[in-house]
Amino acid sequence: MNLIDRRNFLRYASLGIFAALFTRKVEASTFLMKRFLALPPKETPFITPNEHFYIVNFGKQPQVDAADWTLRITGKVQRPLELTYQEILARPAVEKMVTLECIDNEVAGELISNAVWKGVTLKSLIEEAKPLQGVEDVAMYGADAYSDGITLDRALNYDVFLAYQMNGVTLPKEHGYPLRAVVPGLYGIKNVKWLTKIDLVDHDYKGYWQQKGWTDTATIKVKSRIDAPGPYNTINPGYIFRGIAFTGGYGIRSVEISLDGGKSWVPATIEPPPSPYSWVFWKYEWKDAKPGTYQILSRATDKLSRTQTAFISRAFPDGTSGLQSIVTFVE
Ligand SMILES: Nc1nc2c(c(=O)[nH]1)N[C@H]1C(S)=C(S)[C@@H](COP(=O)(O)O)O[C@H]1N2
Ligand SMILES: [Mo]
């Protein structure tokens, strides 16, 4: 994916300069844009097949054998636990659709995917271990020396669970087999894979990325993406624009689209999602499109009334922001 992005970027950069040389010859540059910059629309299935789900590891993928693996619940608890894979599988299960997004995901990027995960609630394990007074954070450790933490409040009250299945099959190795955290609402960094230990501590735990200055809260910013048409495509009146929108704020309330470079906005339709933790699909039919060249943008608002900002920020330290904008030709 990175490779494709880089290739497209080079393509844009070099051809962008080339196109700029023709600014006075609008027709020539339009021809060049249509000819060289047009990209296909994104085909985005609502549930991402496991083999297409994005993967981000800080280092090498560890090899874990479930037969000699255990999950330990340690720290400030009355009753430390050590559970085998079979014991985890035997517990009451929950199944939820949750979209994961990497904090490195660009606006309109592809480090975002959606799956149905099955596992055990973190709350049930913590309650069984009986936390002592004064626990602040729940630190989660992976077999690859990665770790990250969430607050005890988040661990108990926000549907956090530990998954051993992904889209109906055993959690694939690259996605954290045998067990990974799924933390609805928070960026991928908090969704620790290859879990080995859950440690309850009386302070603010700083994980792998926090020690390098990245966000500790990691709330996913509200974002939308235009999947069709691709940039520099030519469309006809009646074309149906479509894309995705996502947020850490308990679901998307609305998506708007601008057909005039951000001056005015019209509502798009969103398909009601089956889960408050999944992305939504939106669409907009442009019935009265007139021939010309247009700059199209999308923006989403979530159920916490947070509207996607035009302010451009890079991934460090708390995730990207901005609005995607594409050039569209109407014929
Ligand atoms: N143990 C461990 N867990 C991890 C990581 C890691 O490197 N090691 N990467 C995190 C990051 S940055 C993201 S975005 C998600 C990605 O999960 P995926 O590879 O299943 O999509 O896993 C998170 N959990
Ligand atoms: Mo990430």
Side-chain angles (χ1 to χ4, degrees):
M1 240 165 260
N2 267 333
L3 210 81
I4 295 172
D5 283 343
R6 201 160 302 135
R7 198 175 60 208
N8 283 336
F9 174 74
L10 291 174
R11 206 167 154 196
Y12 273 76
S14 53
L15 290 164
I17 292 163
F18 192 38
L21 297 173
F22 284 85
T23 42
R24 284 183 199 180
K25 299 194 172 178
V26 176
E27 263 171 49
S29 75
T30 300
F31 168 79
L32 288 170
M33 287 191 279
K34 286 180 181 173
R35 175 75 182 77
F36 295 108
L37 299 181
L39 290 171
K42 287 191 167 89
E43 294 307 330
T44 309
F46 194 74
I47 294 178
T48 316
N50 289 354
E51 61 275 22
H52 293 143
F53 202 100
Y54 85 88
I55 297 170
V56 175
N57 300 331
F58 88 95
K60 210 169 149 276
Q61 179 183 312
Q63 289 300 320
V64 186
D65 182 355
D68 50 49
W69 168 94
T70 58
L71 176 71
R72 289 183 300 135
I73 319 284
T74 62
K76 288 188 71 94
V77 292
Q78 249 180 61
R79 205 171 151 248
L81 299 178
E82 183 164 12
L83 299 165
T84 65
Y85 187 53
Q86 292 308 325
E87 285 168 336
I88 299 266
L89 299 186
R91 297 175 70 95
V94 291
E95 195 163 25
K96 287 179 203 298
M97 182 185 287
V98 179
T99 298
L100 289 195
E101 182 179 3
C102 182
I103 195 163
D104 260 340
N105 192 34
E106 299 293 335
V107 172
E110 291 181 24
L111 293 179
I112 180 167
S113 305
N114 185 35
V116 177
W117 312 87
K118 184 177 176 183
V120 295
T121 67
L122 181 54
K123 182 183 162 104
S124 71
L125 297 176
I126 290 175
E127 281 174 351
E128 197 173 319
K130 298 195 185 338
L132 299 168
Q133 283 297 309
V135 174
E136 187 179 332
D137 268 10
V138 175
M140 301 180 280
Y141 292 78
D144 57 345
Y146 181 87
S147 67
D148 207 327
I150 54 177
T151 61
L152 180 66
D153 174 51
R154 166 101 15 205
L156 295 180
N157 303 314
Y158 292 83
D159 281 345
V160 179
F161 62 109
L162 311 182
Y164 48 75
Q165 265 194 22
M166 180 180 184
N167 291 331
V169 298
T170 302
L171 188 65
K173 283 196 164 65
E174 56 276 23
H175 296 295
Y177 175 85
L179 196 66
R180 75 160 317 153
V182 176
V183 186
L186 303 190
Y187 279 120
I189 48 174
K190 299 281 168 183
N191 296 244
V192 178
K193 302 193 276 189
W194 310 292
L195 278 172
T196 55
K197 188 174 74 169
I198 307 276
D199 196 29
L200 280 67
V201 299
D202 62 2
H203 54 274
D204 175 18
Y205 180 76
K206 303 269 187 235
Y208 180 86
W209 289 114
Q210 286 77 51
Q211 287 166 28
K212 295 175 161 53
W214 289 77
T215 175
D216 200 4
T217 43
T219 304
I220 296 168
K221 294 180 182 176
V222 56
K223 222 176 260 178
S224 61
R225 188 177 82 190
I226 302 167
D227 285 350
Y232 301 102
N233 279 32
T234 302
I235 62 165
N236 301 116
Y239 185 88
I240 297 173
F241 287 80
R242 62 171 171 81
I244 58 164
F246 187 52
T247 177
Y250 308 99
I252 293 291
R253 177 187 293 152
S254 61
V255 175
E256 298 158 289
I257 177 165
S258 174
L259 306 162
D260 56 10
K263 287 194 218 58
S264 66
W265 296 86
V266 285
T269 335
I270 54 178
E271 262 174 48
S275 159
Y277 306 130
S278 83
W279 60 21
V280 298
F281 277 3
W282 61 262
K283 58 178 186 237
Y284 176 80
E285 185 181 355
W286 196 6
K287 290 201 186 93
D288 55 352
K290 307 271 178 315
T293 302
Y294 297 88
Q295 193 193 350
I296 314 285
L297 294 87
S298 71
R299 78 174 178 202
T301 298
D302 70 15
K303 291 189 176 163
L304 296 178
S305 300
R306 302 185 311 168
T307 294
Q308 180 176 358
T309 172
F311 183 81
I312 297 169
S313 55
R314 295 188 156 250
F316 184 84
D318 62 358
T320 61
S321 68
L323 300 176
Q324 181 188 7
S325 139
I326 62 168
V327 169
T328 300
F329 307 106
V330 176
E331 249 174 37

